[in-house]
Structure formats: structure tokens, C-alpha cells
Amino acid sequence: MSTETIPFAKGLEGVIAAESKICKVDGVKGDLSYYGYSIFDLSESATYEEVAYLLLYGKLPNEKELREFLILAKRYRKLEPSVLTIQKYLAKNTHPMKALQSSYAALGGIWDSTYKEKFIETLIGYIEQTPLLVASHYRIMKQQEVITPDPQLSFSGNFLYMLSGKKPPKEEEKIFDKILILHMEHSLNASTFTARVVASSLPPVSSVISAATGSLFGPLHGGANEKVLQMIDEIGSIENVEKWIDGAIARKKKISGMGHRVYKVKDPRATILQKSLKAFAKDELSKKRLIISEKLEEYFVTRMTEKGKQIYPNVDFYSGILLNSIGIDPILFTPIFAIARVSGWAAHVREQWEDNRIFRPKALYIGEEGKKYIPITQR
Amino acid sequence: MSTETIPFAKGLEGVIAAESKICKVDGVKGDLSYYGYSIFDLSESATYEEVAYLLLYGKLPNEKELREFLILAKRYRKLEPSVLTIQKYLAKNTHPMKALQSSYAALGGIWDSTYKEKFIETLIGYIEQTPLLVASHYRIMKQQEVITPDPQLSFSGNFLYMLSGKKPPKEEEKIFDKILILHMEHSLNASTFTARVVASSLPPVSSVISAATGSLFGPLHGGANEKVLQMIDEIGSIENVEKWIDGAIARKKKISGMGHRVYKVKDPRATILQKSLKAFAKDELSKKRLIISEKLEEYFVTRMTEKGKQIYPNVDFYSGILLNSIGIDPILFTPIFAIARVSGWAAHVREQWEDNRIFRPKALYIGEEGKKYIPITQR
């Protein structure tokens, strides 16, 4: 290879970083599948717990397998007093994502495992603990009493219960399951890639999961659905959509929740979330937001198509509106993304550890060479 | 590109993941330079503080610049009570690297910044805090009183003081500076690559530094110098070296501290550390370990050369012996690596944020497709 043609893709765009059996993103057809099962089927028919099993073991469980899986998982459905104390001592207004990153690492001091041990059970433990860690810190932050988890409830039901102190209606539990399923896995996004890179030096599970959380906290990764909600509320009325979008396009402002490096068509997750929102939005605010966002989509896509650009809604476009319609505080949107995505991280940790090689790419050196060291007094 | 020839390098070996002006690793000549300055010059003549400045600003400071840099850095030389409390509540025997990962994220709740703000000062704050976080947790773990940092001491001097409660002799401070300088930066190793990947989604500084710590904790990255020390003590005598190595080679056992993906000759850092150890080793144990390790190097390299293999000592081969000779507990070897490497992470965060693009490589999908979803009762 000659030095003139060194191939270098910023952000590793287009570069293959791993082989994987976990997830296929079809950016042209607009489909996403986990271990061969389309997200359309999974989000329609499966529970969160079934899909977590699928991601960890590569197959859907039968009734017996699921029962055993739930018994194992629920062993980890308990608040760890030392982590709870740590959450209480975090500085006031510590962002929930920082609290989560810190809590995972602290949890690692209580139970953990490396690739040499039975790490799948530990991954299940971290998946099960995530909603507990998020809910307990949220209640502490709001100066409310922490709710003890309920082993009778489903994964989603228990989280919603631990947030509000009230057992959620079945319909909310189901919609929350669907939102989680759609966010569980998406190939080598930045946080999952982080999980694989960190896992590749073989630290214990807690170090990996904590690190991936830091990546998800970045606004280029998590957080866009919160911005969509703000944007929709700023637009405020269906009449204001065209003017607002024209202004934004003129100022070259990026529209939150639109466009994706992989999808060249509408993100299948956006399609599913939009449908759910249409079925679920009953209060006036949610109905209004739905109408504004659909109008925004229609008008923005038309304007982009005129310019020859294919930019469509991504997963973040309808998810924040839907989450808020079941009463979720926007500060929890990214932590909820983590509650879902931890299953994807776990699947990739498993795959990485089954055939590991440490990530150690090269940098193309473009700096100076052979500089002479001069003592500080002569500089 | 045809599908038959999809290029895929496990661990991204040989793949260029970023352009960089920070560090050149010359694996053929056996040299390492930071911003054009050879590690031989820097470790011989510069202080840790000068090199930290170099890595952050791309130039060596003059006296005035260094003075101002130290004033700024020392503003962060104070124990944060809430982080200290958190360290106290960590589960007993939490490994110092988990404690550090957790502490960084907790520190992020007190002060932090994103790429939009004056993040270089924050990076300096995290560099300055690292030895404090390590020393305070270590003292807590040992049920000793935490030592208040001393603003009069150098960076290294203060850390050694906070570990033992005694002001270190100048010679130890100098040798510790040298060890740190050698470990500060090494291009896209797994933890620095982690830092860049995490930084690329634009979370605040604390999230990035905490995540990189998780990667460094992996035994394929940090921790090898601890294993070298164990190996040398297991060998126990110079007479036992040849037999031990022959046995290890016969059993295809990996020899800790030997070989490196990038260096095809002896790691320059090993050369420098060996020289320092020869000058510094005065107690009987260190002298004995030195003799055993030099014999081990000589015999192992000869045996490998006979087999046509070029495997030489890397940075870990002499560093643990040297650290232990100044009384450092082996459990602190990897945290000390972090104390040094945080400067390299900081340099790369700065470079990444100056021209950011989110890391989002591709996975080569090798799994199943189009699987039909069957309800759980029929599985």
C-alpha cells in the first residue's frame, strides 16, 4: 500500500470493526432484526423479557426456559444498600446518567465477573439492576422515598412502579415494553462499540457496562428525543410548522430526530412508535404533539425530497412524545435508553468474549518529528 | 468492492482510526515521541508537569507558562467531601480501578464540562484529581486516615505523600516522575481509543475519563507489570531462570511483559526503566529481582531468536519491579498507570473534539435472516 492512498475514514464510517450474528440493520429496506427476527414482529408480539433472552442466548425461549430465566434475573431484583447510600451522597443535581455510570462501577465492588467466570449470569444481573439504579436515583434526586422493587411485576411494570410508587395500568406496561424492545440493540452504535472495545481488554462486566453508559450520555447518541420534544413544544401549533421548518432550513439548523447514518429510508422504529403514539395518545397535549410532529415529518421530508435529499425520521422522532405521554420526565429519556440498550451491550460483550482480540487500531501520524529538547530556562 | 473481499481486521489491527499529531510510536527503530519529542529526552530531562503541559497544549511550556499552568492545576488539588464519602461507602475490597471509575463519574456531578465550554481546564482538573482519588481510596481501603494534599509538593511528590503520609525523598519523586512520563501516552491503545470513541458522542469530560478507566482495568491492557513481579518472585533465583523459561515455552505459556503488537524491537520504555532500576535498586530484594529479570530477558530473547521470533520486553517488564522498589503496593500499579495515562486521554479528547465525527463502524452480519416469529406457547 503506498503512503498516498492510506485509507482513512473519520469515525470509522464504512469500516467493518467486527463480525456479528446479533443484529442486522437494513438501511435500504428499512428493517431491523435481532438474531433474524424482525423488529416489527418482536415489538408487536414479544415481551421485553423474551427479547432480552433472545439477545443473550441467540434464540427465543420456550415457556420453561423463560420461567427459569426470570427466576435467575429476579435474584438480582433487590436494592443494594451500599449503592443506594452512594447515590444519596452524590452531589445534588448529578445527572442521572452520571449517577448510573458511577453506580454500575460501585455495583462492581459487590458482585461482578470476568470472561473466565459465569459472566452471562452477571450480565443478566446488570440488566435487571439497571431500572432499579435509575429509579432509586431519580427518587433520591426528587427527595422522594425510594420504592422497594416488586418481584411480582414484569421488568417494565416494576420500573414504572418504582418511579411513581403506583402499579401501572397494563396498557402502559405494554407500551413501555414496546419502547424498550425497539431500543435494545442496533449493531455498532457508539455505546455498543464502546462496550466491545472496553470488553476487549477483558475487564469485569461492571467496567464495560459503566463505560458504555458514558458513551450513551453524549448528545450525538442519546438525548435527541428530549430535543425533539422541546422542538415540538417550541413550534406549538400545526399552523406554525411550515414557517418554523422553512426558517430552520434557511438557517441550516439541524432538525432533531431526523436522519440517520445507516437508514436511507424511514427508520422502522419510527414507523412503529408513530403507530403506537396514534393508538395511545389520549390526553390533549399528546394528541396535539402527535399532530404537530406528523405535519413536521410530512413537510420536512417533502422539502428535503425537493432538494434531492433522503432524510427521514429516526427512532428519536416519536419516542420522546410517547414516553412523555405516559408521564415520564424528559431527564429520564436517556437513562431509559440505557435500560433498554444494556441488553444489546450484554449481547455484544458475550460475542466479543467468545472470540476476543483487543482493539488496537492505528493512528495516522501527521505531527512533527525529531524535535530537540531545550531546557525550560532557555525556552 | 465485492462481497468476497470484504476487508475485516479483528481488533481493527492495522486499520487507521484517526489522524493524530500527539504521539508517534516507531515500532521498528524502537522510539516513542510526544509531539515530536523523544521519550528518551523527556524522561531524562523533563518533569511530569512539563510533559502534561506538552500533551495538552502541543508545546513545551516556558517558565511563565508552566507557573500559570501549575496555579490552575493546583486549584483542583483538593479533596471533594462528597466523593470521599462515596469512596467510604463502596463495598469493602472494591478494587481501586472500580473505585476510580465510580469516583470520576461522581466527580462529574460536582464540576465538569462539555466540548462547548472551556473543557481544557476541566481536563487539567481531572488530571490533578486522579492521584488524589487513588490515594484517598487506597487509604480508606487500608483503614488509614486520608491525607490532605499538600499544594507545596510536586504532582508526584504529593501522590507519594498522600499514600504514605511521609514526604518522599527527592530521588523517589524523580523516579516516580520518570515512570509516569513513560506511561502518559501511547497512541491508540485500547483505553485511549475508548476515550476517543466515547468523546465522539460528545458527553462531558467525566463520562469519557471514567469510561477509559474501565478499559485500562482489563488485564490485556493494564495489570501486566503486576504479573511480571509475581513471575519473577515465582522463579525466585537466577539459577532457576533457564529451567523455568524452558518449561513455560514447552507449555506454550505466555511470558508476561514480553512482546507488543507495535514494537518489533525492545520497547524504548523498557530500556529506560531497566536503566533506572539498575541505578535505583539498592535493597536486596530489588537487586535480586533485577538480576533475575535481566537474565530472563537475555535467555528468553535468545530462545525466541533461535525460533526466528522477535519478541522483546515491553514497558511492563521492568516497571512493576521498579514501582515495588519504592514501596508501591502492586494493587496500585494499574491505578498509577491511570494517573499517568489520563494525560494522554486528555490530549486525545482535545484532538477528537477539535474535529469530531462520531465513531460508528459497521459490523459484518454473519447471522440468520428472515426468521418467523412463533408465539411462546408453540415453541
Side-chain angles (χ1 to χ4, degrees):
Chain A
M1 191 187 297
S2 85
T3 47
E4 296 129 84
T5 57
I6 290 171
F8 162 57
K10 258 178 79 178
L12 291 172
E13 184 166 358
V15 173
I16 295 169
E19 288 182 323
S20 181
K21 292 182 181 174
I22 302 169
C23 170
K24 185 173 177 185
V25 183
D26 189 332
V28 177
K29 261 176 58 189
D31 198 3
L32 167 66
S33 55
Y34 303 163
Y35 279 106
Y37 294 99
S38 167
I39 197 71
F40 286 99
D41 291 338
L42 293 174
S43 67
E44 185 61 34
S45 309
T47 62
Y48 167 83
E49 288 85 344
E50 277 179 271
V51 184
Y53 185 100
L54 171 67
L55 285 170
L56 273 168
Y57 296 101
K59 64 185 273 290
L60 283 168
N62 60 32
E63 288 176 293
K64 179 167 172 285
E65 287 162 337
L66 185 64
R67 211 161 40 236
E68 287 166 358
F69 175 65
L70 291 181
I71 290 169
L72 184 60
K74 285 184 183 174
R75 274 195 218 141
Y76 295 92
R77 191 179 284 184
K78 60 177 196 291
L79 296 165
E80 294 290 353
S82 87
V83 178
L84 222 50
T85 310
I86 284 167
Q87 290 188 335
K88 280 180 190 151
Y89 280 102
L90 286 169
K92 245 191 171 173
N93 298 321
T94 295
H95 190 282
M97 286 299 281
K98 291 182 183 176
L100 185 60
Q101 191 169 4
S102 186
S103 303
Y104 278 136
L107 195 59
I110 306 172
W111 42 268
D112 210 344
S113 35
T114 69
Y115 73 103
K116 288 182 184 169
E117 298 145 305
K118 286 192 187 168
F119 65 85
I120 295 191
E121 179 171 337
T122 304
L123 288 168
I124 294 169
Y126 277 79
I127 292 169
E128 187 66 38
Q129 274 282 320
T130 306
L132 276 62
L133 296 173
V134 170
S136 62
H137 176 259
Y138 183 73
R139 300 274 306 184
I140 290 166
M141 198 173 66
K142 294 283 169 192
Q143 297 179 288
Q144 292 169 326
E145 211 180 323
V146 172
I147 310 282
T148 304
D150 183 341
Q152 301 303 317
L153 295 174
S154 74
F155 183 87
S156 291
N158 180 59
F159 174 64
L160 295 172
Y161 166 64
M162 285 184 70
L163 275 187
S164 68
K166 282 171 285 194
K167 307 268 158 97
K170 275 285 160 219
E171 195 189 7
E172 276 186 21
E173 211 177 302
K174 211 170 146 45
I175 207 112
F176 197 77
D177 248 30
K178 188 176 287 205
I179 295 169
L180 290 184
I181 290 169
L182 294 173
H183 284 85
M184 285 167 88
E185 163 57 13
H186 208 260
S187 191
L188 298 187
N189 55 86
S191 64
T192 305
F193 184 48
T194 298
R196 286 191 85 123
V197 171
V198 175
S200 79
S201 70
L202 304 177
V205 166
S206 69
S207 310
V208 178
I209 303 298
S210 172
T213 308
S215 166
L216 185 60
F217 188 29
L220 292 191
H221 189 357
N225 50 1
E226 200 174 333
K227 285 200 197 124
V228 171
L229 196 64
Q230 286 162 3
M231 173 179 72
I232 299 293
D233 289 348
E234 192 189 312
I235 294 173
S237 72
I238 193 159
E239 293 74 27
N240 196 29
V241 170
E242 298 194 0
K243 200 180 117 202
W244 195 94
I245 288 291
D246 289 340
I249 292 173
R251 293 194 315 279
K252 298 194 171 166
K253 190 176 145 63
K254 204 188 157 305
I255 309 295
S256 297
M258 288 287 174
H260 195 282
R261 198 189 279 187
V262 183
Y263 292 110
K264 303 303 167 203
V265 294
K266 187 166 173 177
D267 186 329
R269 300 167 298 176
T271 306
I272 298 167
L273 287 165
Q274 181 181 12
K275 199 178 141 202
S276 300
L277 184 59
K278 276 167 120 78
F280 192 79
K282 278 163 200 150
D283 63 295
E284 286 315 307
L285 181 60
S286 301
K287 279 197 254 182
K288 186 175 141 193
R289 283 169 171 170
L290 170 64
I291 294 169
I292 295 172
S293 56
E294 287 192 319
K295 172 76 187 167
L296 194 159
E297 173 183 348
E298 183 211 318
Y299 186 69
F300 179 75
V301 170
T302 308
R303 286 293 314 268
M304 288 297 108
T305 308
E306 286 164 14
K307 290 171 175 276
K309 288 183 188 164
Q310 296 172 301
I311 306 180
Y312 299 93
N314 61 41
V315 66
D316 299 312
F317 194 70
Y318 290 103
S319 65
I321 304 170
L322 185 55
L323 281 168
N324 202 237
S325 77
I326 58 169
I328 303 281
D329 185 338
I331 204 172
L332 289 174
F333 289 179
T334 309
I336 286 168
F337 195 167
I339 289 172
R341 189 56 57 90
V342 64
S343 287
W345 299 335
H348 282 270
V349 169
R350 185 195 169 160
E351 193 170 66
Q352 182 68 31
W353 282 352
E354 277 172 355
D355 184 23
N356 189 58
R357 177 124 174 87
I358 193 168
F359 280 91
R360 217 288 177 212
K362 276 166 51 174
L364 181 61
Y365 187 65
I366 54 167
E368 295 182 85
E369 300 200 29
K371 295 195 84 173
K372 197 177 161 339
Y373 181 84
I374 298 160
I376 188 163
T377 50
Q378 293 159 42
R379 274 174 220 151
Chain B
M1 189 188 297
S2 86
T3 47
E4 296 130 82
T5 57
I6 289 171
F8 162 57
K10 257 178 81 177
L12 290 172
E13 183 165 359
V15 173
I16 295 169
E19 287 182 323
S20 181
K21 292 181 181 172
I22 300 168
C23 170
K24 185 171 176 185
V25 182
D26 189 332
V28 178
K29 261 176 57 190
D31 199 3
L32 167 66
S33 55
Y34 303 162
Y35 279 107
Y37 294 100
S38 167
I39 197 72
F40 287 99
D41 291 340
L42 293 174
S43 67
E44 186 60 33
S45 309
T47 62
Y48 167 83
E49 288 85 345
E50 277 178 88
V51 185
Y53 185 100
L54 171 67
L55 285 170
L56 273 169
Y57 295 102
K59 65 184 274 288
L60 282 167
N62 60 31
E63 289 178 292
K64 181 168 171 286
E65 287 162 338
L66 185 63
R67 214 162 36 238
E68 287 167 359
F69 176 65
L70 291 181
I71 290 169
L72 183 60
K74 285 184 183 172
R75 273 195 219 140
Y76 295 92
R77 191 179 286 184
K78 56 177 199 295
L79 296 165
E80 294 289 353
S82 88
V83 177
L84 222 50
T85 310
I86 284 166
Q87 291 188 334
K88 281 180 193 153
Y89 280 102
L90 286 168
K92 245 189 170 174
N93 299 320
T94 295
H95 190 281
M97 287 298 283
K98 291 181 183 178
L100 185 60
Q101 191 169 4
S102 185
S103 303
Y104 278 136
L107 195 59
I110 306 171
W111 42 267
D112 211 344
S113 34
T114 69
Y115 75 103
K116 287 183 184 169
E117 297 145 305
K118 287 191 187 169
F119 66 83
I120 295 192
E121 180 171 336
T122 304
L123 289 168
I124 294 168
Y126 278 79
I127 292 169
E128 187 66 39
Q129 275 282 320
T130 306
L132 277 63
L133 296 173
V134 171
S136 62
H137 176 260
Y138 183 72
R139 300 273 307 182
I140 290 166
M141 199 173 67
K142 294 283 169 189
Q143 296 180 287
Q144 293 169 325
E145 211 180 321
V146 172
I147 311 282
T148 304
D150 183 340
Q152 302 302 318
L153 295 174
S154 73
F155 183 87
S156 291
N158 180 60
F159 173 64
L160 296 173
Y161 166 63
M162 286 183 69
L163 275 187
S164 68
K166 283 172 282 194
K167 307 267 158 97
K170 276 286 159 217
E171 197 190 5
E172 276 186 20
E173 212 177 303
K174 214 171 143 41
I175 208 112
F176 197 77
D177 249 29
K178 189 175 286 207
I179 295 169
L180 290 185
I181 291 169
L182 294 173
H183 284 84
M184 284 166 89
E185 163 57 13
H186 209 258
S187 191
L188 298 186
N189 54 87
S191 64
T192 305
F193 184 49
T194 299
R196 286 191 85 124
V197 171
V198 175
S200 79
S201 71
L202 304 177
V205 167
S206 68
S207 311
V208 178
I209 303 297
S210 172
T213 307
S215 165
L216 185 60
F217 187 30
L220 292 191
H221 189 358
N225 50 2
E226 200 174 333
K227 283 199 201 127
V228 172
L229 196 63
Q230 286 162 2
M231 173 178 72
I232 299 293
D233 289 348
E234 191 188 312
I235 295 174
S237 73
I238 191 158
E239 293 74 28
N240 197 28
V241 169
E242 298 195 1
K243 199 181 117 201
W244 196 93
I245 288 292
D246 288 339
I249 292 174
R251 293 193 316 278
K252 298 197 170 161
K253 188 175 146 65
K254 204 187 158 304
I255 310 294
S256 297
M258 288 288 173
H260 196 281
R261 199 188 281 188
V262 183
Y263 292 110
K264 303 303 166 203
V265 294
K266 187 166 172 177
D267 186 329
R269 301 168 297 177
T271 306
I272 297 167
L273 287 165
Q274 182 181 12
K275 200 178 137 201
S276 301
L277 184 60
K278 275 166 120 77
F280 191 80
K282 278 164 201 149
D283 63 294
E284 286 314 306
L285 180 60
S286 301
K287 279 198 256 182
K288 185 176 144 193
R289 283 170 171 169
L290 171 63
I291 294 169
I292 296 172
S293 56
E294 287 192 321
K295 172 75 186 171
L296 194 160
E297 174 183 348
E298 185 212 315
Y299 186 69
F300 179 73
V301 170
T302 307
R303 286 293 315 267
M304 287 298 108
T305 308
E306 285 164 14
K307 290 171 176 275
K309 288 184 188 163
Q310 296 171 301
I311 306 180
Y312 299 93
N314 61 40
V315 66
D316 299 312
F317 193 69
Y318 290 104
S319 65
I321 305 171
L322 186 54
L323 281 167
N324 202 237
S325 77
I326 60 171
I328 304 280
D329 185 339
I331 205 172
L332 289 174
F333 289 178
T334 310
I336 287 168
F337 195 168
I339 289 173
R341 189 54 58 87
V342 63
S343 286
W345 299 336
H348 281 271
V349 169
R350 185 195 170 159
E351 193 171 66
Q352 182 67 31
W353 282 353
E354 276 172 356
D355 184 24
N356 189 58
R357 177 126 175 85
I358 192 168
F359 279 92
R360 216 287 176 216
K362 277 166 52 174
L364 181 61
Y365 187 66
I366 54 167
E368 294 182 86
E369 300 199 31
K371 294 194 83 172
K372 197 175 162 338
Y373 182 85
I374 298 160
I376 190 163
T377 49
Q378 292 158 44
R379 276 175 219 152

